[in-house]
Amino acid sequence: MSANLRFGPELRRLRLEAGLSLTEFSVALTYDKGHLSKVERGERSASPDLARRCDAFLGANGALQSLVIRPESDPGTAESSAPPSPWAVGRRAVLAAGTGSLIDLGLKPGGQVSSVADPLLASFRTQFDQLRQLGQSTDPKVLLPLLETQTRTVTGLAADTSSTARIPALLLASRFAEFTGWMAQEAGNSGAALGWTDEAAALARAGGDPHLGSYALVRRALVTLYDGDAVTTIALARRAQNDGLPPRIRGLAAQREAQGHALIGDERACLRSLDRARELLAGDDADRSAGPVIGTTHVSDPAAMTTGWCLHDLGRPKAAAEALDRECRRLPTHALRTRTRYGFRRSLAHAASGEVEHACAIADELLRAMPAAPSATVNSDVRRLSQELSRFRSSRAVRDLQPALARVLVPAHD
């Protein structure tokens, strides 16, 4: 018997063991009684979201989730391979010289740049900060060509071996490349995102900073998370938690591991990872003036926000909604991309809790803002929200919201 066919009988067995009638169970889950009855009889397949909720409510420790085959990721949201890097030749020239010539110049990683190069690099650093802020409210496809050009330009500056700006230029180029990778993922090209992330790690190593390579594992884990591959997400995140790494990178990696555990319903492992992330990020005393901050700059308490995210995947939507309500209120108003990412997860949690009108009100505001900053990663939660709300078709709020949801999920073609 296939895993999907075993789900219904196992769900019924666990429900009866818990002493719950089908009516009581449907009320607790805010699911239609008739739908649950058909699932138990094997006449309807359970969605991953329903499996998570049943698992959490009945304390099945992931057993029910394991019986539901996760649907394949939408092939329209990612590309299978990265395009050739437009600046690969320039980067190879930089890396070929190695760090030996830096020693010849009497420099150390992170050393001071010459007075001639200072203004130029300072200008590029300012541009990086501006582009990062612009990324919160701009279509990533618009930003990508500019980011690629700036990465190539800063890398070219580093290729001038006679310049003492080489080390800081390499490190800044690595941050440009890393951000380019993030925008590529937001544009829906996972392959390009991974390619740029690898380039960023190589540039950072050439600049004497081995840490960004470990953060690249965290970024890779985000790609696999959105692809629904929890096992790879956890494995990558664990590799980025070496004791020799800065607390911030280990903390961000622990968060990603927690999200992987939540995806497969392992609540204890998830909470342990969140505790570790909270402790590491609280102890992060990195010098923020030394370079661009790795990871989010708009979430004041990343561990708390990730906890809300994980609680939904663990089948605890009410607790998730409470956590996300609290943390989303703390987001700056200008951080549009961040607000939509966590806002739709918040709306999803409220919808799963049966608070349909409130969920629609949250989503309506976000959908109005999305055209300014479209996001392939956010679309995954928009799709889940649409599926969740489809259970409440009789609601006027849901009917009013459906056209706007459809415009995001199936954009009109020119």
Side-chain angles (χ1 to χ4, degrees), residues 70-71 73 222-231 233 263-264:
R70 187 175 300 278
S73 58
L222 182 64
V223 174
T224 57
L225 180 74
Y226 277 109
D227 285 344
D229 185 352
V231 173
T233 296
L263 205 57
I264 57 177

Side-chain angles (χ1 to χ4, degrees), residues 170-185:
L170 280 168
L171 298 179
L172 184 57
S174 73
R175 299 312 308 278
F176 268 107
E178 187 270 327
F179 184 58
T180 303
W182 171 236
M183 287 294 99
Q185 185 173 354

